[in-house]
Each structure stands twice: as structure tokens, then as C-alpha cells.
Amino acid sequence: MAAPSTPVLNDSTAASAAIGASAMRKATQRLIPLIALGYGAAYMDRVNISFASLQMNRDLHFSSTVYGFGAGLFFLSYAACEIPSNLLLYRFGARRWLARIMVTWGILAMAMLFVRTPWQFYTARFFLGVAEAGFFPGVIFYLTQWFPQELRARAISRFYISLPLSFVFMGLIAGALLNLDGNLGLRGWQWLFLVEGIPPILLGIAFLYLLPDGPQQAKWLTEDERAWIIHHVHNDPSLSGQRSHNLSAALLDPRVWQLGLFMMLMLGSSYAYTFVAPDVIQRATHLSTSKVGYLVAALSLLGAAAMLLNGIYSDRVQRRTPHSNYPRYMHIIPWAFLISVGFFACGLSTNPINVIISIGTVIIAYNAMQGPLWSLPGSFFQGRSAAAGIATLNMIGMIGGFLGPYFVGFAKDLTGDYQRGLLLMSIPMLLGALIMFYLRAETRLRSPTLSPENPVPSSQ
């Protein structure tokens, strides 16, 4: 996926705008739904143990510590393989590499039905992380090859909406699959793993035939549309000097590690509640498994709406300062504080309504920040360095995916419930908000368009 050569564009501003609108419309319609389905399947197979645990932990006599360690172990192997996976995607192309990832993780997700002992559980989760490694940062890198910076938060939100929607889908069908308990000699949680491992295999085959490696390979683009994308994404002269193509620069850039630390705190908090939310809600409300699933689905729909709306609003504000990330941070920081408030409230309350509102607050705030957040890395680097940089910060973030579930599982075995652990998870996102404040200040100093003579408009 080498940087394409610079094409010749029509000089007419009106004509260029029309060509750009057509190119972006085609890219959105052709790429986003397919990618969204792929990531939805990935997230569902990653966290479906949160519903399976309602039966599995009892059947296999797993303690909360065993469950939390196994749930989080996925993220250690995932993190370890992030950078090599994204570099292989850059070398072999998105179409083949993403298809390979999906097929192998689908097979391993289905193999979870054979788990019987803690070590088998650990092994299955470890190799599931290896198989899925690189999919999300690969998709983020792939989208940076198609969408200019000022349109990127909306594009990312439109594919990333599959995250809360996968919870909607899982919430709606989990109860039905768990109720198959005993059919054909399988427990309900085994049916859950079996059925939900099939979609990524089918989608992997679809990726192989339908996903172009980049604009140069997209037969459904006209020459002018292809030229517009290449010019605005790969050869934007206004960004020369701000983005690096150097691989070592990506790995050593302090912004990558600072953003990675934020993501570690964010994902640690996120997966801490993701893997225990059904259990916490069921204990607080005493609802059936099916009704818990419906409730989680409803909260996830609100999260999906927040993700789309904040992504659209963030892009709208970004157009006023198109060559600076400064406005993006203010579409992340308030949500980080709100996540902290949600955890604090959930940890202190046993009232069913308060618990539901608190978890709903965390879900909505987490999803709302994703579009602006993931639009940031592509503005730092291009080409191979972008693939490595995005994978690096996601690798750091995924360490939080191990720490969060393991911590709340360990806390439950010590205290008897998950809520004490969730209470302490209010701290990481306070630290995360401080990191974003620092990055925002650094961006203001870096950007000549945000000098004291040219401040950000007060409406931002």
C-alpha cells in the first residue's frame, strides 16, 4: 500500500467540490456498511462471554478471578500482535489481511464451546486475541486512506457504530441462545459461542471479494473521484511537515504514547463494565436473562445515537480549523469526565434505577467520544508510519482491556460484588481527561493557525 502518485485535478472549485461529494458518498456506501458488519462481529465475539458467563461460570465452577483473568487475557495477546499485524496489512493489502483475520478468529470463537477447565479457557482467549489482533487498528488505518481529516470523525463513527449495535444484537439474541440449553447435548453458553462464531467467517469471504485495497483499486470510482481522494488524503500540501512517513518517528512520537495511555485508561474502564454489566444489572434488578439482554440492547441504542451525533458535530466544528486537531479534544474531554461520574454513581448505589442510569451514562459517554478520538492518529502520520503508529497506541490501549476485567473480577472475590471495583474505575477516566487537556494544550502550541493572533472561535 505505497503512497500513490499525485494525479492532475480539475481546477474548478465548484467542480472539485461536486467530485469530492460524489467520491465520499461512494466510499461511504461501499465501504462503511461492510466494515461495520466486520467490526460488529469482532466485538460480539470478543465480549459475548459477558452473557455466556451467566451460565458458564456456574457450569464450569469458575471464580470471578478466573473469569476476569480469562476475559482480559485476550487483550494481552491482542496487544502483543498489534504492530506486526498492521505492518503485514500494509504489506499485503487490507482486503487479504482483514479477510484472513476474520476467518481465523471466527473459527477460534466457535472453538470456545470446547472449554472445560480454567487453563483451556485461558488458552482459548489468548489465541482468540492473537487471531483478531490488528483488525481494529487496520480498519482505522484503512479509513485514513479514504477520508480527509475534516470528514474522518463522521466516517469512523459510522463504522464504529457497530460497537454499540453489536451489543444491541447480542442483547436481543443472547437470551434465546442461552435458552437452547440442553439441545443436541450442548449447554446454552456453548450455543452462544457456536452461533456467534459463524458471521465473521462469512464476512471474511465477503471482504476478500468486495473490499478494495485502496482508492487506486476501487473500480467503482471515476478517475476524477480517485484523483480527488488521493489529493485530499495523501497529498494535501497544507499538512506537509505536520505528518511523518518515518516508521521510527511513529514509534517514538510522544503523542502516540500519550494517546495510547489515554486509551489504556479508557479501555480498562470500558471492558471493566462490559464484561460484568449483565451480571450487575441482573443482581440489581432480578430480571431474567432475556430481559437483561433487552435492557442492555436499549442502552446500547442510546450509545449508538450519541456516537453518530457527536461524530457529526465534531466534524462540523473541525471544518472551521481544518488543519488542526485542537477542536477534537473538546469533543472527548467532557465525555471522559461523564464516564467517571457514571462509575462513581454505580459503585455507590444498589437501587435498580440508579444502577441502570449509571451504566447507561457510561455506555453513552464511551460511545460518544469514539469518532473524534480515532480521527486524531491519522493526522500525525502517513503510510507505513501511520499503520505502525495506530497499531502502537491501540497496543498500549489494549493492556487496559486486560487490567480492567481482571481487577473487577478480583475485587468481586474480595468484596462479594462487582460494584466496589466499578467505584474505583472512576479514577482512570479522570486521569484520562487530564491527558487530553495536556494534548490539547500541546496542539495549540504546535499549530500556527491557533496562535494568540488567530484563536479558536469562542463557539467551539
Side-chain angles (χ1 to χ4, degrees), residues 68-84:
F69 182 79
L73 194 59
F74 166 96
F75 298 98
L76 288 185
S77 56
Y78 188 107
C81 298
E82 286 279 70
I83 295 176

Side-chain angles (χ1 to χ4, degrees), residues 168-251:
V168 173
F169 181 72
M170 189 163 57
L172 293 175
I173 70 166
L177 292 173
L178 291 174
N179 287 335
L180 292 176
D181 195 42
N183 281 271
L184 301 180
L186 297 177
R187 307 292 297 183
W189 58 270
Q190 292 176 304
W191 278 109
L192 188 67
F193 292 134
L194 176 63
V195 172
E196 293 185 354
I198 296 173
I201 297 174
L202 300 178
L203 285 167
I205 297 171
F207 268 51
L208 195 60
Y209 287 98
L210 299 177
L211 196 73
D213 282 321
Q216 294 283 54
Q217 292 76 35
K219 297 179 180 178
W220 34 265
L221 289 173
T222 66
E223 286 301 320
D224 284 343
E225 290 166 348
R226 186 176 295 111
W228 188 94
I229 292 175
I230 292 170
H231 174 75
H232 284 79
V233 174
H234 298 275
N235 301 300
D236 186 347
S238 66
L239 292 174
S240 61
Q242 295 187 39
R243 295 193 293 187
S244 170
H245 293 260
N246 186 276
L247 179 59
S248 61
L251 298 178

Side-chain angles (χ1 to χ4, degrees), residues 44-269:
M44 190 164 60
D45 285 337
R46 184 185 305 176
V47 302
N48 57 10
I49 59 169
S50 65
F51 282 96
S53 68
L54 298 175
Q55 291 182 354
M56 181 183 70
N57 291 354
R58 181 184 64 246
D59 289 349
L60 302 182
H61 307 292
F62 288 173
S63 69
S64 297
T65 302
V66 167
Y67 168 68
F69 182 79
L73 194 59
F74 166 96
F75 298 98
L76 288 185
S77 56
Y78 188 107
C81 298
E82 286 279 70
I83 295 176
S85 180
N86 239 30
L87 292 178
L88 287 169
L89 179 144
Y90 183 80
R91 178 178 179 181
F92 294 113
R95 179 177 62 88
R96 286 189 291 269
W97 195 249
L98 291 176
R100 191 285 305 164
I101 290 174
M102 297 184 74
V103 171
T104 52
W105 104 53
I107 293 171
L108 286 168
M110 295 171 68
M112 284 284 295
L113 68 92
F114 297 110
V115 165
R116 294 294 182 277
T117 68
W119 278 104
Q120 289 174 352
F121 180 48
Y122 301 155
T123 302
R125 290 291 293 179
F126 179 88
F127 283 106
L128 184 62
V130 172
E132 195 185 315
F135 184 82
F136 179 75
V139 166
I140 296 293
F141 169 68
Y142 181 70
L143 291 178
T144 67
Q145 311 303 297
W146 288 89
F147 295 92
Q149 170 69 6
E150 65 270 18
L151 299 176
R152 205 164 286 160
R154 185 179 305 188
I156 291 172
S157 294
R158 285 174 173 169
F159 112 78
Y160 208 19
I161 196 174
S162 58
L163 185 152
L165 290 183
S166 66
F167 246 103
V168 173
F169 181 72
M170 189 163 57
L172 293 175
I173 70 166
L177 292 173
L178 291 174
N179 287 335
L180 292 176
D181 195 42
N183 281 271
L184 301 180
L186 297 177
R187 307 292 297 183
W189 58 270
Q190 292 176 304
W191 278 109
L192 188 67
F193 292 134
L194 176 63
V195 172
E196 293 185 354
I198 296 173
I201 297 174
L202 300 178
L203 285 167
I205 297 171
F207 268 51
L208 195 60
Y209 287 98
L210 299 177
L211 196 73
D213 282 321
Q216 294 283 54
Q217 292 76 35
K219 297 179 180 178
W220 34 265
L221 289 173
T222 66
E223 286 301 320
D224 284 343
E225 290 166 348
R226 186 176 295 111
W228 188 94
I229 292 175
I230 292 170
H231 174 75
H232 284 79
V233 174
H234 298 275
N235 301 300
D236 186 347
S238 66
L239 292 174
S240 61
Q242 295 187 39
R243 295 193 293 187
S244 170
H245 293 260
N246 186 276
L247 179 59
S248 61
L251 298 178
L252 298 176
D253 193 296
R255 292 172 298 178
V256 170
W257 292 89
Q258 290 158 2
L259 204 54
L261 179 58
F262 173 84
M263 291 180 180
M264 182 177 74
L265 297 169
M266 178 191 72
L267 290 176
S269 301

